Amino acid sequence: MAKEIERSGLPITIMCNLTNIAKTVGSNRIVPTFSVPYPLGNPQASPEEEWAMRKHRVEVAVEALQTPIEEQTVFAVKK
């Protein structure tokens, strides 16, 4: 579905932890997440650390939307 939306001219960012699968299905802008059950969180982190992680990943995703690309790109996130 993301490929069809992008063909219409709207950029799409996929946030997932299984980046190889996202590449296989043809996603162009990929932002890695934390884990399958907690894509944007870590229940073992403090609330402040979890908030910082979420904020950072969403900022990377928004930046990815604004970045012109020519091929599939996995955008870096801090660990």
Side-chain angles (χ1 to χ4, degrees):
M1 180 176 237
K3 288 170 60 174
E4 291 301 316
I5 294 172
E6 285 210 358
R7 281 190 196 129
S8 73
L10 295 171
I12 298 292
T13 299
I14 301 297
M15 298 179 76
C16 65
N17 71 320
L18 302 172
T19 57
N20 288 337
I21 294 174
K23 286 180 184 179
T24 301
V25 298
S27 299
N28 289 322
R29 292 173 178 84
I30 304 164
V31 175
T33 58
F34 185 71
S35 70
V36 172
Y38 306 104
L40 290 177
N42 177 359
Q44 298 170 346
S46 71
E48 295 80 16
E49 291 172 325
E50 193 170 28
W51 173 256
M53 181 191 335
R54 288 179 182 184
K55 184 175 186 272
H56 172 67
R57 302 278 163 111
V58 171
E59 287 171 345
V60 171
V62 171
E63 185 177 311
L65 286 172
Q66 300 171 24
T67 304
I69 60 170
E70 296 296 322
E71 58 188 29
Q72 288 180 316
T73 305
V74 177
F75 289 83
V77 296
K78 31 180 190 182
K79 300 291 177 183

